[in-house]
């Protein structure tokens, strides 16, 4: 936050007309570490007033400073997730999907889905949309088919769209068909140069085939984790090869087909911001690239901010992170996860929050045997066709998705490391006030948004070991609330 804006707010300069321009009541959505409240919505729990006890440690929300737009929060609908959902009766499945994607009170309001373009390591087996017998090739893509997805991913997505028609859909491949690769193996092995053209056509056919099923693919990443060849399936890309593929093949083919699906590059960890920036040095790749995607299994999230500083014209996206808990645990580490996976992600310019697997069973199945993730807990657990638990990843996303719709904009709010300016009455001269500067605001971690409907949303995380006060200032008005240790609250007004 700019110092002048902080001083402006701290001095309480606000007109009466502005003070009356927003609702006085504040709704609160609360999740506590002891699970007594789990995304519990309390309408009108707080209200703004003209005064507050002590003006230290204020979270000043300033909607005059706007940052990136929000494009949704959600999960990856892997083939394994869809398989579990299709194992439910339609009635139970629709009830579960409404719990996940519905926008009514008590529903999570998920508004971003990442699909796997072909199999991921969270499938029971590996497949592509154009598998061929060993020694055979199909450069004309005569055998291209969504047959496997038609059994689970497509019908589940169609039902999701009936609940949330405006949801953002991204798709990411884990590998090209084995016959296109140098190794002829689904695990590792680069794409053959002579297959760049046909692989680009493979993407186009996928987008068109999904569109025929009523599913619009808004964004495509080139490769899930292009620097990781240990998954089954997986496929490595260098930044130069990715640039060539985007600039000379995929971008032109999407354009020629009249598709407005956006190309998102990298889709890997925060320890390698040099990768996407190198790719963008290629003029043609730069022309066709809309954004850059990150995961956080390595590196620091500040890499997203550095990338934004270098290329503010490209969108930043956060596309994968696993977060798990011990089944049956009496406590939920919601504060630690929400700080990392909402506050830190959004304050580092991401337009979305997308965590990993939507659904698995209690054994974290299915997954591939050689390089599949055996510890990837779903946001929900489904056993024998029944929803058996909502897990920590679910609660993290539910704390933001239902309140921050697509089209919301992140706005300024005081961060813990921001400088603070406060007025104190001079002890020797009553009525005379002195300005005192503190190097740190010492507020709780938080992030704020303005929604398309004009609501203000402030998510606050108490990552401390003790109960703390949340003091909010907005347009010269104040609200205050106690937040228990390890709790997360979303304030909406």
């Amino acid at each position: 936050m700019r110092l002048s804006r902080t001083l402006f707010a701290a001095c309480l300069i606000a007109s009466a007309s502005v003070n009356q321009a927003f609702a006085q009541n504040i709704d609160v959505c609360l999740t506590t570490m002891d699970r007594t409240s789990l995304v519990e919505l309390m309408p009108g729990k707080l209200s703004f007033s003209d005064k507050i006890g002590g003006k230290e440690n204020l979270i000043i929300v300033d909607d005059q400073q706007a940052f990136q737009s929000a494009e949704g929060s959600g999960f990856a609908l892997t083939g394994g997730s869809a398989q579990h959902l299709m194992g439910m009766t339609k009635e139970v499945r629709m009830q579960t999907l409404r719990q996940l994607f519905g926008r009514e009170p008590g529903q999570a309001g998920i508004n971003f889905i990442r699909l796997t373009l072909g199999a991921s390591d969270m499938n029971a087996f590996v497949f592509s949309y154009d598998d061929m017998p060993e020694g055979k090739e199909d450069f004309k893509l005569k055998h291209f088919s969504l047959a496997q997805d038609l059994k689970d991913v497509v019908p589940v997505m169609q039902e999701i769209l009936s609940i949330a028609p405006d949801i953002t859909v991204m798709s990411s491949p884990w590998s090209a068909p084995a016959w296109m690769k140098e190794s002829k193996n689904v695990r590792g092995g680069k794409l053959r140069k002579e297959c760049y053209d046909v692989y680009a056509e493979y993407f186009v056919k996928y987008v068109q085939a999904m569109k025929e099923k009523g599913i619009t693919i808004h964004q495509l990443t080139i490769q899930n984790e292009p620097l990781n060849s240990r998954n089954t399936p997986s496929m490595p890309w260098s930044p130069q090869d990715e640039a060539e593929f985007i600039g000379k093949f995929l971008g032109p083919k999407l354009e020629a087909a009249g598709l407005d699906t956006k190309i998102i590059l990298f889709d890997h960890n925060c320890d390698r911001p040099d990768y996407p920036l190198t790719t963008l040095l290629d003029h043609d790749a730069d022309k066709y690239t809309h954004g850059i995607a990150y995961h956080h299994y390595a590196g620091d999230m500040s890499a997203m901010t550095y990338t934004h500083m270098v290329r503010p014209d490209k969108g930043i996206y956060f596309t994968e992170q696993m977060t798990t808990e011990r089944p049956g645990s009496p406590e939920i580490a919601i504060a630690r996860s929400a700080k990392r996976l909402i506050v830190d992600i959004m304050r580092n310019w991401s337009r979305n929050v997308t965590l990993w697997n939507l659904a698995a069973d209690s054994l974290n199945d299915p997954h591939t045997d050689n390089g599949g993730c055996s510890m990837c807990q779903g946001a929900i657990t489904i056993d024998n066709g029944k929803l058996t638990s909502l897990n920590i990843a679910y609660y993290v996303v539910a704390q933001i998705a239902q309140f921050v719709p697509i089209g919301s904009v992140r706005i300024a709010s005081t961060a813990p490391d921001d400088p603070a300016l406060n007025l104190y009455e001079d002890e020797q001269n009553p009525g005379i006030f002195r300005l005192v500067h503190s190097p740190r605001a010492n507020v709780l971690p938080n992030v704020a948004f303005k929604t398309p409907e004009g609501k203000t949303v402030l998510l606050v995380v108490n990552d401390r070991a003790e109960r703390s006060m949340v003091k909010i200032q907005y347009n010269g008005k104040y609200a205050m609330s106690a937040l228990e240790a390890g709790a997360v609250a979303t304030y909406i007004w």
Side-chain angles (χ1 to χ4, degrees):
M1 182 179 290
R2 292 196 298 268
L3 196 59
S4 60
R5 179 65 61 185
T6 307
L7 176 57
F8 180 89
C11 291
L12 316 182
I13 302 173
S15 69
S17 61
V18 171
N19 288 341
Q20 296 171 2
F22 62 94
Q24 299 298 303
N25 292 328
I26 304 173
D27 298 338
V28 180
C29 180
L30 179 67
T31 297
T32 56
M33 186 170 62
D34 63 3
R35 297 182 187 269
T36 54
S37 292
L38 292 169
V39 288
E40 178 186 1
L41 184 61
M42 295 170 280
K45 177 70 173 177
L46 302 176
S47 60
F48 283 104
S49 66
D50 292 326
K51 297 180 180 180
I52 195 170
K55 296 185 177 64
E56 302 87 358
N57 307 329
L58 284 171
I59 297 175
I60 302 170
V61 179
D62 179 8
D63 57 12
Q64 298 304 302
Q65 295 186 70
F67 303 99
Q68 78 273 24
S69 60
E71 296 183 21
S73 303
F75 300 95
L77 177 66
T78 61
S81 296
Q83 176 185 323
H84 281 302
L85 287 161
M86 289 303 292
M88 296 173 150
T89 65
K90 183 168 184 177
E91 180 182 3
V92 172
R93 182 171 63 254
M94 289 302 295
Q95 182 180 0
T96 300
L97 292 177
R98 281 191 290 270
Q99 172 73 39
L100 293 166
F101 299 93
R103 311 290 166 82
E104 299 298 323
Q107 300 174 337
I110 294 169
N111 46 17
F112 196 107
I113 276 291
R114 183 181 182 223
L115 299 178
T116 62
L117 202 160
S120 76
D121 58 309
M122 300 306 292
N123 277 79
F125 57 91
V126 177
F127 70 92
S128 78
Y129 302 123
D130 198 334
D131 289 322
M132 297 296 293
E134 186 174 351
K136 300 291 184 180
E137 297 176 335
D138 183 22
F139 277 86
K140 299 293 186 182
L141 297 179
K142 293 180 179 179
H143 300 280
F144 182 94
S145 172
L146 290 182
Q148 182 58 41
D149 280 357
L150 293 177
K151 299 175 183 178
D152 41 43
V153 172
V154 167
V156 169
M157 268 307 307
Q158 290 170 335
E159 290 174 340
I160 290 170
L161 288 166
S162 73
I163 299 167
D166 60 342
I167 194 167
T168 302
V169 182
M170 171 184 281
S171 196
S172 305
W174 266 241
S175 175
W179 61 267
M180 296 187 190
K181 301 171 72 175
E182 294 177 351
S183 63
K184 302 297 191 291
N185 195 313
V186 294
R187 187 184 194 197
K190 295 174 63 177
L191 185 70
R192 295 156 54 195
K193 287 282 187 177
E194 61 266 35
C195 291
Y196 277 28
D197 186 74
V198 67
Y199 192 44
E201 188 63 32
Y202 179 88
F203 276 82
V204 170
K205 279 187 170 292
Y206 167 77
V207 174
Q208 291 172 330
M210 292 294 273
K211 190 172 184 178
E212 288 176 3
K213 299 300 179 182
I215 303 166
T216 298
I217 306 299
H218 300 101
Q219 301 161 351
L220 283 170
T221 71
I222 305 306
Q223 172 66 40
N224 173 73
E225 299 186 349
L227 299 175
N228 174 15
S229 294
R230 294 174 296 176
N231 279 350
T232 300
S234 56
M235 188 170 75
W237 286 87
S238 72
Q240 293 81 7
D241 287 345
E242 193 163 291
E244 181 182 356
F245 179 69
I246 294 170
K248 292 184 169 56
F249 299 94
L250 182 58
K253 282 188 177 292
L254 288 171
E255 186 175 63
L259 299 171
D260 59 1
T261 302
K262 302 294 190 295
I263 296 174
I264 312 295
L265 59 84
F266 192 42
D267 206 5
H268 208 168
N269 288 328
C270 290
D271 61 340
R272 292 296 306 276
D274 58 291
Y275 185 115
L277 294 175
T278 299
T279 304
L280 292 174
L281 292 176
D282 182 279
H283 173 77
D284 292 330
D286 184 22
K287 171 185 173 182
Y288 290 110
T289 296
H290 172 74
I292 300 161
Y294 282 98
H295 303 179
H296 191 227
Y297 300 109
D300 190 273
M301 286 190 188
S302 60
M304 293 190 287
T305 289
Y306 298 146
T307 306
H308 170 79
M309 290 169 65
V310 176
R311 294 304 305 265
D313 55 319
K314 304 299 182 185
I316 303 296
Y317 296 86
F318 191 89
T319 48
E320 183 184 316
Q321 186 64 48
M322 176 182 66
T323 183
T324 65
E325 62 180 342
R326 179 169 55 86
S329 173
E331 294 187 342
I332 181 170
I334 190 70
R336 180 181 63 198
S337 293
K339 178 186 180 299
R340 179 187 176 205
L341 300 175
I342 301 178
V343 176
D344 292 351
I345 286 174
M346 298 306 291
R347 279 192 174 272
N348 279 290
W349 290 93
S350 180
R351 298 186 180 188
N352 69 315
V353 172
T354 306
L355 306 187
W356 185 213
N357 202 20
L358 178 65
D361 65 17
S362 55
L363 298 177
N364 303 327
D365 286 333
H367 56 81
T368 55
D369 293 333
N370 180 21
C373 182
S374 61
M375 59 183 291
C376 289
Q377 183 183 58
I380 64 172
T381 300
I382 299 174
D383 285 307
N384 300 316
K386 295 181 180 179
L387 174 64
T388 55
S389 70
L390 304 173
N391 304 317
I392 186 169
Y394 168 88
Y395 292 113
V396 169
V397 169
Q399 200 70 40
I400 182 175
Q402 59 185 308
F403 307 113
V404 182
I406 296 167
S408 299
V409 177
R410 181 170 72 88
I411 57 175
S413 60
T414 310
D417 292 332
D418 282 347
L421 294 169
N422 293 290
L423 289 173
Y424 291 94
E425 191 168 16
D426 192 304
E427 293 180 355
Q428 302 300 320
N429 300 283
I432 302 299
F433 290 83
R434 306 297 185 190
L435 186 65
V436 178
H437 170 263
S438 300
R440 294 185 77 253
N442 199 33
V443 298
L444 295 176
N446 66 87
V447 64
F449 304 88
K450 181 69 75 173
T451 74
E453 296 77 24
K455 291 186 177 181
T456 302
V457 178
L458 174 68
L459 183 138
V460 182
V461 174
N462 186 1
D463 59 348
R464 300 174 183 174
E466 68 277 350
R467 187 171 182 259
S468 300
M469 296 305 298
V470 177
K471 299 179 181 180
I472 305 168
Q473 179 183 314
Y474 178 71
N475 283 349
K477 296 287 188 177
Y478 304 94
M480 184 167 67
S481 175
L483 194 57
E484 298 298 326
V488 176
T490 306
Y491 303 91
I492 309 103
W493 65 89

